[in-house]
Amino acid sequence: AQTVTQSQPEMSVQEAETVTLSCTYDTSESDYYLFWYKQPPSRQMILVIRQEAYKQQNATENRFSVNFQKAAKSFSLKISDSQLGDAAMYFCAYRFTQGGSEKLVFGKGTKLTVNP
Amino acid sequence: DTGVSQNPRHKITKRGQNVTFRCDPISEHNRLYWYRQTLGQGPEFLTYFQNEAQLEKSRLLSDRFSAERPKGSFSTLEIQRTEQGDSAMYLCASSPPVSGGHYGYTFGSGTRLTVV
């Protein structure tokens, strides 16, 4: 079964510093999508970044980048120049498809605190 | 387009009552998903619609849960004979037709259900 593991329940970072959130996953597929979502205290999930497994180049979105290691099944998120507004729960997710269906499988999340 | 809309935002109900939640996806999105999230956990998949067809229903969903998406537009999730264990945030998400890549899912703000 596809599983997503986030081993860091909580992380903290100083404002303007860099932090890396870890994620590993288990799959037997060769082509798939991975996502990082942010969920601020208001609770709406916001897409941060996505990675297509067949692309070897790591995805970047402004201050957010990933380190995608396909062989190791690792998908970490790096946040550079951290800002107070980055404080939130961060969820790693794998897009699982089977037959005609699809779904996101989420990790348990990492709570990020940004200290001024 | 105002994104994915969910109503109500909050619902408090007595155990044994029936409740219904509504989700209005982004208009051009043909794929719709329901997830359940409990405190401190990542969202768990409940069900998936492609247009009006319900293509998958999680084993997490007991017979007390039913979802519909008439005409492939809005969706409703009904819980009959609610139990305290049903207390959670119910999230709806939608995504566009897959064409040349998958661009992630857009989530609504959720409906928080409290069963007393």
Side-chain angles (χ1 to χ4, degrees), chain A residues 33 35 37 39 42-47 50 52 54 89 91 95-98 100-109, chain B residues 9 31 33 35 37 39-43 45 48 50 55-56 89 91 95 98 101-109 112:
Chain A
Y33 291 86
F35 304 88
Y37 277 88
Q39 191 175 41
S42 66
R43 306 287 291 191
Q44 184 166 14
M45 303 277 280
I46 302 167
L47 177 63
R50 72 178 184 114
E52 299 166 72
Y54 72 89
M89 285 291 293
F91 293 97
R95 177 176 175 256
F96 173 60
T97 61
Q98 186 173 53
S101 186
E102 60 166 279
K103 69 188 110 188
L104 289 179
V105 177
F106 287 86
K108 291 188 173 182
Chain B
R9 291 293 304 274
R31 297 161 185 245
Y33 318 79
Y35 289 82
Q37 186 179 24
L39 199 61
Q41 299 294 316
F45 171 79
Y48 164 60
Q50 186 170 323
L55 297 186
E56 186 175 355
M89 177 74 82
L91 298 172
S95 67
V98 178
H102 198 279
Y103 299 98
Y105 303 67
T106 303
F107 282 81
S109 297
R112 178 174 294 283

Side-chain angles (χ1 to χ4, degrees), chain B residues 12-37:
Chain B
I12 300 174
T13 190
K14 292 183 179 180
R15 189 174 53 188
Q17 297 293 306
N18 298 344
V19 294
T20 300
F21 311 140
R22 176 178 171 125
C23 172
D24 288 271
I26 293 173
S27 57
E28 61 267 26
H29 286 189
N30 67 333
R31 297 161 185 245
L32 187 145
Y33 318 79
W34 285 97
Y35 289 82
R36 179 170 65 191
Q37 186 179 24

Side-chain angles (χ1 to χ4, degrees), chain A residues 7-73:
Chain A
S7 58
Q8 306 153 315
E10 296 188 27
M11 291 283 284
S12 63
V13 63
Q14 291 296 126
E15 197 175 0
E17 297 292 305
T18 295
V19 64
T20 298
L21 308 184
S22 301
C23 173
T24 58
Y25 58 94
D26 184 28
T27 183
S28 57
E29 302 297 315
S30 59
D31 192 19
Y32 47 87
Y33 291 86
L34 295 162
F35 304 88
W36 277 98
Y37 277 88
K38 171 185 177 182
Q39 191 175 41
S42 66
R43 306 287 291 191
Q44 184 166 14
M45 303 277 280
I46 302 167
L47 177 63
V48 175
I49 200 166
R50 72 178 184 114
Q51 175 78 41
E52 299 166 72
Y54 72 89
K55 289 187 176 179
Q56 295 192 356
Q57 185 173 7
N58 289 324
T60 61
E61 288 287 343
N62 301 313
R63 298 182 294 106
F64 298 88
S65 61
V66 299
N67 183 5
F68 174 51
Q69 301 290 327
K70 191 174 183 180
K73 297 179 183 175

